[in-house]
Amino acid sequence: MDYLSLRRYLLMALIYHLAIPKDWEQALESGEYAPASLQSEGFIHASVKEELIPSARIHFLEHDSLVILVMAEKKVKHLLKWEPAREGKLFPHIYGKISLERIENTYLMIRDKQGEWQWMKG
């Protein structure tokens, strides 16, 4: 077992998803989260905490705010696959809609005056 696999196993890792605010608002109304990537790619992109800011920098150039969805890996385990992505790193992909009760917490991420992403921890 490699280090990351062992770490996830021991810590019952949290996984994170960067949501566009309008998608999160729709989820609050419908009771489940299903962004466009679920339809177009077949899964919802997620990441580990350390990849949030790099992912925001790469994939959300046109946005000034994002909602961070926090999930316990065990709550989405039946939908989750760890697969190679950027630079061969393993990223969590969620194959299905996420019901709101599976989301542990949410945070806001905004750009500061210099255009850098800042995680607004409550």
Side-chain angles (χ1 to χ4, degrees):
M1 181 179 294
D2 64 41
Y3 172 77
L4 288 176
S5 297
L6 180 60
R7 179 175 174 246
R8 282 194 303 272
Y9 175 77
L10 293 175
L11 298 177
M12 292 309 283
L14 294 175
I15 59 172
Y16 301 81
H17 171 75
L18 296 172
I20 298 168
K22 70 174 182 63
D23 291 345
W24 179 238
E25 290 170 16
Q26 289 173 349
L28 292 173
E29 291 175 14
S30 71
E32 51 189 14
Y33 181 72
S37 70
L38 186 56
Q39 182 69 30
S40 64
E41 299 179 59
F43 61 88
I44 299 169
H45 293 269
S47 67
V48 294
K49 185 176 182 180
E50 297 79 17
E51 290 294 334
L52 284 174
I53 301 248
S55 290
R57 285 180 185 144
I58 292 168
H59 301 292
F60 296 95
L61 297 173
E62 71 280 7
H63 297 278
D64 291 322
S65 66
L66 297 168
V67 179
I68 302 169
L69 308 183
V70 183
M71 296 160 275
E73 185 174 349
K74 64 184 177 182
K75 287 193 174 182
V76 292
K77 188 177 182 178
H78 65 290
L79 301 171
L80 187 65
K81 291 183 185 177
W82 287 83
E83 299 175 309
R86 200 167 56 236
E87 300 171 359
K89 292 180 185 177
L90 292 179
F91 280 81
H93 294 156
I94 301 169
Y95 285 84
K97 296 177 183 179
I98 303 168
S99 60
L100 296 187
E101 62 266 5
R102 297 189 190 284
I103 297 171
E104 301 276 327
N105 215 334
T106 59
Y107 298 96
L108 183 62
M109 184 183 278
I110 62 169
R111 288 187 189 272
D112 64 17
K113 291 179 183 179
Q114 291 76 36
E116 289 297 319
W117 286 104
Q118 301 295 318
W119 185 351
M120 308 305 290
K121 297 180 182 176

